[in-house]
Amino acid sequence: MLQFALFGAGRIGAIHAANLAASGRATLRHVVDVHAPSAAALAVRFSASVSDVSVALADPAVQAVLIASSTDTHAGLAVAAARAGKAIFCEKPIDLSLSRVSECLAAVAEAGVPMMVGFNRRFDPDFVVLHRRVGEGAIGAVEQVVITSRDPGPPPVDYIKVSGGLFRDMTIHDFDMARWMLGEEPVEVFAMGANLVDPVIGAAGDIDSAMVLLKTASGRMATINNSRRASYGYDQRVEVHGSGGRLIAGNRIASTVEQADATGVVTEKPLHFFLERYAAAYRIELAAFIDAVEAGAPMPVGAEDGQRALILADAAERSMREGRAVRLP
Amino acid sequence: MLQFALFGAGRIGAIHAANLAASGRATLRHVVDVHAPSAAALAVRFSASVSDVSVALADPAVQAVLIASSTDTHAGLAVAAARAGKAIFCEKPIDLSLSRVSECLAAVAEAGVPMMVGFNRRFDPDFVVLHRRVGEGAIGAVEQVVITSRDPGPPPVDYIKVSGGLFRDMTIHDFDMARWMLGEEPVEVFAMGANLVDPVIGAAGDIDSAMVLLKTASGRMATINNSRRASYGYDQRVEVHGSGGRLIAGNRIASTVEQADATGVVTEKPLHFFLERYAAAYRIELAAFIDAVEAGAPMPVGAEDGQRALILADAAERSMREGRAVRLP
Amino acid sequence: MLQFALFGAGRIGAIHAANLAASGRATLRHVVDVHAPSAAALAVRFSASVSDVSVALADPAVQAVLIASSTDTHAGLAVAAARAGKAIFCEKPIDLSLSRVSECLAAVAEAGVPMMVGFNRRFDPDFVVLHRRVGEGAIGAVEQVVITSRDPGPPPVDYIKVSGGLFRDMTIHDFDMARWMLGEEPVEVFAMGANLVDPVIGAAGDIDSAMVLLKTASGRMATINNSRRASYGYDQRVEVHGSGGRLIAGNRIASTVEQADATGVVTEKPLHFFLERYAAAYRIELAAFIDAVEAGAPMPVGAEDGQRALILADAAERSMREGRAVRLP
Amino acid sequence: MLQFALFGAGRIGAIHAANLAASGRATLRHVVDVHAPSAAALAVRFSASVSDVSVALADPAVQAVLIASSTDTHAGLAVAAARAGKAIFCEKPIDLSLSRVSECLAAVAEAGVPMMVGFNRRFDPDFVVLHRRVGEGAIGAVEQVVITSRDPGPPPVDYIKVSGGLFRDMTIHDFDMARWMLGEEPVEVFAMGANLVDPVIGAAGDIDSAMVLLKTASGRMATINNSRRASYGYDQRVEVHGSGGRLIAGNRIASTVEQADATGVVTEKPLHFFLERYAAAYRIELAAFIDAVEAGAPMPVGAEDGQRALILADAAERSMREGRAVRLP
């Protein structure tokens, strides 16, 4: 039973706490949150203590930390946990600033502790099957990747203001997906964005609609289309074209029921909310972290994956601003 | 926390025990099985005692029993549990003999305890959505029901010999589904059967392939097609035609991944095994039982539903033997 | 260029005349219809003469006749055409009376002319692919066939009164499909019917909803479900289960366009009208007739296929009336 | 009956000639081709004369010309036809050089004759339905367009050498589709390309794989993915996202037959060849031209549409070369 401290008792922290309890392989010892009632609620539900950061990290029984607090605290907590010798699971992004991410990674490396970044989509069963097939050569050499990633609706504008912008907050998942599916690092990034969904978002200095192109050294390409709003649900699809064929992973729906009547043949919309859509992914992600920590094996998604995705997000923003392709070293 | 005794520590008993534990709403106190190692394994896993029937039923803390033992013991255990005042969840079928089922129901009624029969498919999320839509009038008045129910492969012939035959063992689920979807009692049954899959089954006196027609008093009809073998997985579909449209509930697949290459466009086979296909159904079924016991509400699937399905199975067998429609009172 | 006389200038006659003209392989010389304006219209459109039966059959240039007149005239015209030495394409059914069909077939056989019956669905490209795959052994030995055959709406009650009833008028196509897909003759028929769609049909002595089971000597089975009304279009599907898999041929839709919005994911309804759904089938059917006549080859669907389907229709009606399976010799 | 002269008796010329004959609304008077046997074959088949350009254009009976010769002759023939007062249907592209296209358009405008460019996909029934729905507001305001356009296999390298490159030869159709679906002119173009399919294509100075982004003044965006090879057939899909939903038009398949067996559930590949996939589109396109000429109505796809698509192709090539977004006036 791996012993955990959880930082952040919000929506995503609660998900991880529940998955941790249900895994039968881990115990939650501490819940830390600046919002005391949230911490207390989770602590009661999972028989943990409400603690502050120093207490949680000083507890020698704690082997691993789960960082699900607000983004601006991620890097600091990771460094502190690293210095305390704890294995680290950190929600994305590590930080909105690449320099702070680099400092964090350096501290973690120095401490010699493992660190995983929460790119949950890599554990989605459909994308896992698709990626495994690509790896098995089912469609030959990868040539092009098409990623559709559209949220059901925009978050509150207050969130958007501190989110780091669409590319760092939302597209970052797609940059990671593209890297994973391409099997090579993108070396060229081009991005376009616009404010089409809600003028409030534009007034806050962000975009809500974007399209991105990526290219690797060998000429593989990816395109991403993003929107903060999809009236029909959470649209999450990946399409990979290879020399020998095409693989598509589609949306998950609540039921297979199909209704035919005078208006047409109607099936269900994609699952609406990311917690539904990726419920299995979150569960499997945490299990993969526990597996790797227990086995002393490499993290399935490392801290440098978080860094690489942020580099792409930064490049996309620069590309959009400057109207040119940004080349990466 | 509802306190349970479990009779039968085999495959299906283990499923129920796990769902019971995971529900967070029930405790397993006793595991009873003639095969001691199976009982011991489940008891250890779920912190229960290995007991015999009389001890389990004499325990005043036990509020409910879960009968998942071999079919020939169901009715006897149900009667004993009823006399001990326990709420009863009994796997289908209650018994292979209608007269014993009637005696069992009489004893249960006399004891005044609730009894639910394990027609798990009524709790399958897809069929639930379909049935709810029918009830909401989405397709008007029900007219015809088409049920496809094909196992991935036949059970061992030793099981078939004591199974009561295809209609009582396998089609019984479809009879229940037909009743549920038709919304009326069938009054006429016609059935055809054949031995096409494996001659060993024929040698054991059973069929492995069947087609059935049912008709209600108002003229609604259902057709069922059954086979003990489907190379492509467990084929479980329901189609309901009404005056205003059609509803179809299809198979569940392991992933949405679709591969296109020189051979065609390939999607996954239906989930192969009933425990995968109906994993959610078993979980929801048990929760519905706990809900009803706790609320003192009517059972969502009552003992008389088990009886009605068996009446249809008996009628189907007679129909096949006599080459005529069998009318029910 | 094969020279034709056409009997019947109604809806289906016009279809055949147009296909004949578009084939580039045949010429229409005579149009015969008791309704003079209909005959005249077609004759003008396709540069043919309006003639009466005797003139058309006496024309030595006419090599083939196309019988698309009202059902009660089919057998008489076929016999007359046979005696005149013409190749015969006759719309289904040959007649509503089996004895008249037998007499007709005897006369045709005596004359030694080829006769084809218009079971157009055998030429539907989807069903052709399915049937070819069955023949190639793609799913092993055929075991069960499920036929869904539902009209978009009932014909006028005046038509129903002279139609011979649902089994002879509508199901007859499905009996032929079942025979074709089973690859063996049914020897046992069971049918149920009801009046659910429109009481006017019941008042006219007919049913509008039916389910049928068929069984062959080796134990293969088929089930047919019929309705005179399907609000969502013309529902025409065939499903064949074999020892090694399953083949399904579905409906055709007007476009592939799929719309996702807040109400669901909506695709088009099946094509609504049999002339749209089977447009290609009618064209290919006529070409197959011309091919066979020109090559002196056996008819792709012979007169005896028309007879066998009628035998099944008669058996279905007797079965429904008597509540028992009807065995065929 | 509109009287036509056809320039170019190759594959696409033959398609147009056949559609023209089958339309029943036009006559082919002249066939012109430098390759005499091709011209002769078509002339015989459709009862036309083999002529040279001057004879064909001097024939006062000729009302319209159909330019389907090699690309380098399009503009010259169009100008000559314009001066002869003929209505012009010209295959895409008008020319590979924008300045020659402008000169051609000027000459046509001066002559006052109507000119249509052969963007056949605008007449594909699926894309027409999608576009009509967009126009009806079914998904609100258009925001993003995703175009998948992948050929089954590359053309001969000799063709590629004179094709003007992937963007002018292949993507030009997608540029037109994007303009049509966006409902606004793109003002910004970004493109990436690579040589992944066949090194021979790279050696000939062309790319065989590309991804493009387009953006309009109001912020609408489109992404195009192209490949010269798709092992599974001709992949032609359009997806339009709007403020109120999503529309997708998919591929056409040869049959609806679905096979399920131990390897999976297999449906047919997309139609392999553009002449199959767009057979209806070519037919409808020509009918639309005839309609417009006869009615004196504006061309459904005008010469300036050909020009605009070429401007986008040129911009894409410059963007790829220079690694920056190209802005259009």
Side-chain angles (χ1 to χ4, degrees):
Chain A
M1 301 290 275
L2 207 62
Q3 312 285 307
F4 276 81
L6 168 67
F7 300 102
R11 190 167 63 180
I12 191 69
I15 295 292
H16 288 307
N19 286 334
L20 205 148
S23 75
R25 303 170 55 200
T27 313
L28 187 60
R29 289 180 65 89
H30 302 275
V31 179
V32 183
D33 200 300
V34 290
H35 188 247
S38 299
L42 276 194
V44 167
R45 187 165 151 213
F46 297 107
S47 311
S49 311
V50 173
S51 309
D52 64 14
V53 174
S54 54
V55 168
L57 292 180
D59 181 349
V62 167
Q63 298 157 285
V65 300
L66 223 153
I67 303 177
S69 45
S70 63
T71 295
D72 58 334
T73 66
H74 287 185
L77 288 169
V79 170
R83 289 181 182 151
K86 315 301 188 191
I88 302 164
F89 177 97
C90 182
E91 269 304 318
K92 66 92 211 165
I94 299 173
D95 196 279
L96 297 175
S97 144
L98 254 183
S99 60
R100 274 199 299 277
V101 170
S102 299
E103 288 163 26
C104 175
L105 263 63
V108 169
E110 201 186 300
V113 298
M115 177 169 173
M116 175 165 167
V117 172
F119 284 132
N120 57 301
R121 295 181 197 175
R122 290 213 194 187
F123 302 92
D124 174 76
D126 293 341
F127 297 146
V128 165
V129 168
L130 196 160
H131 187 261
R132 189 197 318 131
R133 297 249 198 107
V134 168
E136 292 165 356
I139 55 165
V142 169
E143 292 177 353
Q144 295 190 333
V145 175
V146 180
I147 297 175
T148 300
S149 176
R150 310 176 79 85
D151 282 354
V157 73
D158 284 345
Y159 173 83
I160 282 183
K161 284 174 183 166
V162 298
S163 70
L166 186 92
F167 294 127
R168 284 186 198 86
D169 179 57
M170 179 176 168
T171 324
I172 198 161
H173 280 292
D174 307 309
F175 289 125
D176 183 64
M177 182 61 68
R179 290 180 62 236
W180 192 43
M181 291 296 178
L182 285 167
E184 283 182 5
E185 286 302 327
V187 295
E188 196 178 330
V189 181
F190 184 82
M192 283 175 172
N195 174 223
L196 300 172
V197 171
D198 188 344
V200 168
I201 295 173
D206 202 1
I207 54 170
D208 49 34
S209 306
M211 284 189 164
V212 180
L213 294 188
L214 304 173
K215 192 175 169 187
T216 71
S218 79
R220 299 178 177 194
M221 286 168 261
T223 182
I224 298 165
N225 66 81
N226 283 155
S227 175
R228 286 285 195 187
R229 180 216 31 226
S231 59
Y232 51 88
Y234 189 36
D235 196 352
Q236 296 280 302
R237 288 172 286 147
V238 172
E239 185 169 325
V240 182
H241 295 267
S243 55
R246 182 189 78 193
L247 286 165
I248 298 181
N251 289 308
R252 286 269 161 176
I253 51 179
S255 90
T256 64
V257 173
E258 172 197 298
Q259 178 166 340
D261 55 32
T263 67
V265 178
V266 189
T267 51
E268 300 234 4
K269 291 180 285 185
L271 292 174
H272 196 77
F273 194 43
F274 78 97
L275 293 180
E276 290 173 280
R277 169 64 166 91
Y278 288 120
Y282 282 112
R283 206 162 49 233
I284 298 166
E285 176 187 56
L286 196 65
F289 176 68
I290 297 173
D291 286 346
V293 172
E294 290 188 339
M299 289 289 109
V301 189
E304 58 292 340
D305 290 306
Q307 188 182 31
R308 295 293 314 176
L310 187 61
I311 289 170
L312 293 171
D314 280 11
E317 195 162 289
R318 199 157 61 252
S319 168
M320 178 175 63
R321 232 174 21 234
E322 303 178 3
R324 62 175 186 87
V326 171
R327 305 206 128 261
L328 301 173
Chain B
M1 300 290 275
L2 208 63
Q3 312 285 308
F4 275 84
L6 168 65
F7 300 101
R11 189 167 63 179
I12 190 68
I15 295 292
H16 287 308
N19 285 334
L20 205 149
S23 75
R25 303 171 57 200
T27 316
L28 188 59
R29 291 181 64 90
H30 302 272
V31 179
V32 183
D33 200 301
V34 289
H35 187 246
S38 299
L42 275 195
V44 167
R45 186 166 151 214
F46 297 107
S47 310
S49 311
V50 173
S51 308
D52 65 12
V53 174
S54 54
V55 168
L57 292 180
D59 180 348
V62 167
Q63 297 157 285
V65 301
L66 223 154
I67 304 176
S69 46
S70 64
T71 295
D72 58 333
T73 65
H74 288 183
L77 287 168
V79 170
R83 288 181 183 152
K86 315 300 188 192
I88 302 165
F89 178 97
C90 182
E91 269 305 316
K92 66 94 220 169
I94 300 172
D95 195 280
L96 298 175
S97 145
L98 255 183
S99 60
R100 273 198 300 276
V101 170
S102 301
E103 288 163 25
C104 174
L105 263 63
V108 169
E110 200 185 304
V113 298
M115 177 169 174
M116 174 166 166
V117 171
F119 283 130
N120 57 301
R121 295 179 197 178
R122 289 213 194 188
F123 302 92
D124 174 76
D126 293 341
F127 298 146
V128 165
V129 168
L130 196 159
H131 187 260
R132 188 197 320 131
R133 296 247 199 109
V134 168
E136 292 164 355
I139 55 164
V142 170
E143 294 178 351
Q144 295 191 332
V145 176
V146 179
I147 297 173
T148 300
S149 177
R150 311 177 78 88
D151 282 353
V157 72
D158 284 346
Y159 173 82
I160 281 182
K161 283 174 183 166
V162 299
S163 69
L166 185 92
F167 293 126
R168 283 184 199 87
D169 179 56
M170 178 175 169
T171 323
I172 199 161
H173 279 293
D174 308 309
F175 288 126
D176 183 63
M177 182 63 67
R179 290 181 61 237
W180 194 43
M181 292 296 178
L182 285 168
E184 285 183 5
E185 288 301 327
V187 295
E188 197 177 330
V189 182
F190 184 82
M192 283 176 172
N195 175 224
L196 300 172
V197 172
D198 188 343
V200 168
I201 295 172
D206 202 1
I207 54 171
D208 48 34
S209 307
M211 283 187 165
V212 179
L213 295 187
L214 304 173
K215 193 175 168 187
T216 71
S218 79
R220 300 178 176 193
M221 287 169 260
T223 180
I224 299 165
N225 66 81
N226 283 156
S227 174
R228 286 287 195 185
R229 180 213 36 223
S231 60
Y232 52 88
Y234 188 36
D235 196 353
Q236 297 279 301
R237 289 172 284 147
V238 172
E239 185 171 324
V240 182
H241 295 266
S243 54
R246 181 188 80 193
L247 286 164
I248 299 182
N251 288 307
R252 287 267 160 178
I253 53 180
S255 90
T256 63
V257 174
E258 172 197 298
Q259 178 165 340
D261 57 31
T263 67
V265 178
V266 190
T267 50
E268 301 234 4
K269 292 180 284 185
L271 291 174
H272 197 77
F273 194 45
F274 78 98
L275 292 181
E276 290 173 279
R277 168 63 165 94
Y278 288 120
Y282 281 113
R283 205 162 50 234
I284 297 166
E285 175 187 58
L286 197 64
F289 175 69
I290 296 174
D291 285 347
V293 171
E294 289 188 339
M299 291 287 109
V301 190
E304 59 292 341
D305 290 306
Q307 187 182 32
R308 293 296 311 178
L310 186 61
I311 289 171
L312 292 172
D314 280 12
E317 193 161 291
R318 198 156 63 251
S319 169
M320 176 175 66
R321 233 176 19 238
E322 301 178 4
R324 62 176 186 87
V326 171
R327 306 205 127 261
L328 300 174
Chain C
M1 301 292 275
L2 208 62
Q3 312 285 307
F4 276 82
L6 167 66
F7 300 101
R11 189 167 63 180
I12 191 68
I15 295 292
H16 287 308
N19 286 334
L20 205 149
S23 75
R25 303 171 56 200
T27 314
L28 188 59
R29 290 180 65 88
H30 303 274
V31 179
V32 183
D33 199 300
V34 289
H35 187 246
S38 300
L42 276 194
V44 166
R45 187 165 152 212
F46 297 107
S47 311
S49 311
V50 172
S51 309
D52 66 12
V53 174
S54 53
V55 169
L57 292 181
D59 180 348
V62 167
Q63 296 158 287
V65 301
L66 223 153
I67 304 175
S69 46
S70 64
T71 296
D72 58 333
T73 65
H74 288 186
L77 288 168
V79 170
R83 288 183 183 149
K86 314 300 188 192
I88 303 164
F89 178 97
C90 182
E91 269 304 316
K92 66 92 212 170
I94 300 173
D95 197 280
L96 296 175
S97 145
L98 255 183
S99 60
R100 273 198 300 276
V101 170
S102 300
E103 289 162 25
C104 174
L105 265 64
V108 169
E110 201 187 301
V113 299
M115 177 170 175
M116 175 165 165
V117 172
F119 284 132
N120 57 301
R121 296 182 196 177
R122 291 213 195 189
F123 301 91
D124 174 76
D126 293 340
F127 298 146
V128 165
V129 168
L130 195 159
H131 188 260
R132 188 198 319 131
R133 297 249 198 108
V134 167
E136 292 164 356
I139 55 163
V142 170
E143 294 177 352
Q144 296 191 333
V145 176
V146 179
I147 296 174
T148 300
S149 177
R150 310 176 79 86
D151 281 354
V157 72
D158 284 345
Y159 173 83
I160 282 183
K161 283 175 184 164
V162 299
S163 70
L166 185 92
F167 293 127
R168 284 186 197 86
D169 179 56
M170 178 175 169
T171 324
I172 199 161
H173 279 292
D174 308 309
F175 289 125
D176 183 63
M177 182 62 66
R179 290 180 62 236
W180 193 42
M181 291 296 177
L182 285 168
E184 285 182 5
E185 287 301 329
V187 296
E188 197 177 330
V189 181
F190 183 82
M192 284 174 173
N195 174 224
L196 299 173
V197 172
D198 189 343
V200 167
I201 296 173
D206 202 0
I207 55 172
D208 49 34
S209 306
M211 284 188 163
V212 179
L213 295 188
L214 303 173
K215 193 175 169 186
T216 71
S218 79
R220 298 178 177 194
M221 286 168 260
T223 181
I224 298 165
N225 67 81
N226 282 158
S227 174
R228 285 286 195 187
R229 180 215 32 226
S231 58
Y232 51 89
Y234 188 37
D235 196 352
Q236 296 280 303
R237 289 172 285 148
V238 172
E239 186 170 324
V240 182
H241 295 267
S243 54
R246 181 189 80 194
L247 286 164
I248 299 181
N251 289 308
R252 287 268 160 178
I253 53 180
S255 91
T256 64
V257 174
E258 172 196 298
Q259 178 166 339
D261 56 31
T263 67
V265 178
V266 190
T267 50
E268 300 233 6
K269 291 179 284 183
L271 292 175
H272 197 77
F273 194 44
F274 78 99
L275 292 180
E276 291 172 278
R277 168 64 166 94
Y278 288 120
Y282 282 112
R283 204 162 50 234
I284 298 167
E285 175 187 56
L286 196 65
F289 175 69
I290 296 173
D291 285 346
V293 171
E294 289 188 340
M299 290 289 109
V301 188
E304 58 293 339
D305 289 306
Q307 186 181 34
R308 293 295 313 177
L310 187 61
I311 289 171
L312 292 171
D314 280 11
E317 193 161 291
R318 198 157 62 250
S319 169
M320 177 175 65
R321 233 176 18 238
E322 301 178 3
R324 62 174 185 87
V326 171
R327 307 206 126 259
L328 301 173
Chain D
M1 299 290 274
L2 208 62
Q3 312 285 309
F4 275 84
L6 168 66
F7 300 102
R11 189 167 63 180
I12 190 69
I15 295 293
H16 288 307
N19 286 334
L20 205 149
S23 75
R25 305 171 54 200
T27 315
L28 188 59
R29 290 181 65 88
H30 303 274
V31 179
V32 183
D33 200 301
V34 289
H35 188 246
S38 300
L42 275 194
V44 166
R45 188 165 150 214
F46 297 107
S47 310
S49 311
V50 172
S51 309
D52 64 16
V53 173
S54 54
V55 168
L57 291 180
D59 180 349
V62 167
Q63 298 157 285
V65 300
L66 222 155
I67 304 176
S69 46
S70 63
T71 296
D72 57 335
T73 65
H74 288 185
L77 288 168
V79 170
R83 288 179 183 153
K86 315 299 189 192
I88 303 164
F89 178 98
C90 181
E91 267 305 317
K92 65 91 217 172
I94 299 173
D95 196 279
L96 297 174
S97 145
L98 255 183
S99 61
R100 273 198 300 277
V101 170
S102 299
E103 289 161 26
C104 174
L105 264 63
V108 169
E110 201 186 302
V113 298
M115 176 169 176
M116 175 165 166
V117 172
F119 284 132
N120 57 301
R121 295 181 197 176
R122 290 215 196 186
F123 303 92
D124 174 77
D126 293 341
F127 298 146
V128 166
V129 168
L130 196 160
H131 188 261
R132 190 198 318 133
R133 296 248 199 110
V134 167
E136 293 165 354
I139 56 164
V142 169
E143 293 177 352
Q144 295 191 332
V145 175
V146 179
I147 297 174
T148 300
S149 175
R150 312 177 78 87
D151 281 355
V157 73
D158 284 346
Y159 173 83
I160 282 182
K161 283 174 185 167
V162 298
S163 70
L166 185 91
F167 293 127
R168 285 186 197 86
D169 180 56
M170 179 175 169
T171 323
I172 198 161
H173 280 293
D174 307 310
F175 289 126
D176 183 64
M177 182 62 68
R179 289 181 63 236
W180 192 44
M181 292 297 179
L182 285 168
E184 285 183 4
E185 287 302 326
V187 294
E188 197 178 330
V189 181
F190 185 83
M192 284 174 172
N195 175 224
L196 300 172
V197 172
D198 189 342
V200 168
I201 295 172
D206 202 1
I207 54 171
D208 48 33
S209 306
M211 283 188 165
V212 180
L213 295 188
L214 303 173
K215 192 176 167 185
T216 71
S218 79
R220 299 179 177 193
M221 287 168 260
T223 181
I224 299 165
N225 67 81
N226 282 157
S227 174
R228 286 286 195 187
R229 178 210 39 220
S231 59
Y232 51 88
Y234 189 36
D235 195 353
Q236 296 280 301
R237 289 173 284 147
V238 172
E239 185 170 324
V240 182
H241 295 267
S243 54
R246 182 188 78 193
L247 286 165
I248 298 181
N251 289 307
R252 287 267 160 178
I253 52 179
S255 90
T256 64
V257 174
E258 172 197 298
Q259 178 166 339
D261 56 32
T263 67
V265 178
V266 190
T267 50
E268 301 235 4
K269 291 181 285 185
L271 291 175
H272 196 76
F273 194 45
F274 78 98
L275 293 180
E276 290 172 278
R277 169 62 166 93
Y278 289 120
Y282 282 112
R283 203 162 52 234
I284 298 166
E285 176 187 53
L286 197 64
F289 175 68
I290 296 173
D291 286 347
V293 171
E294 290 189 339
M299 290 288 110
V301 189
E304 59 292 341
D305 290 306
Q307 187 182 32
R308 295 294 314 177
L310 187 61
I311 288 171
L312 292 171
D314 280 12
E317 194 161 290
R318 198 156 64 252
S319 168
M320 177 174 66
R321 234 175 18 237
E322 303 178 2
R324 61 175 186 88
V326 171
R327 305 205 129 260
L328 301 173

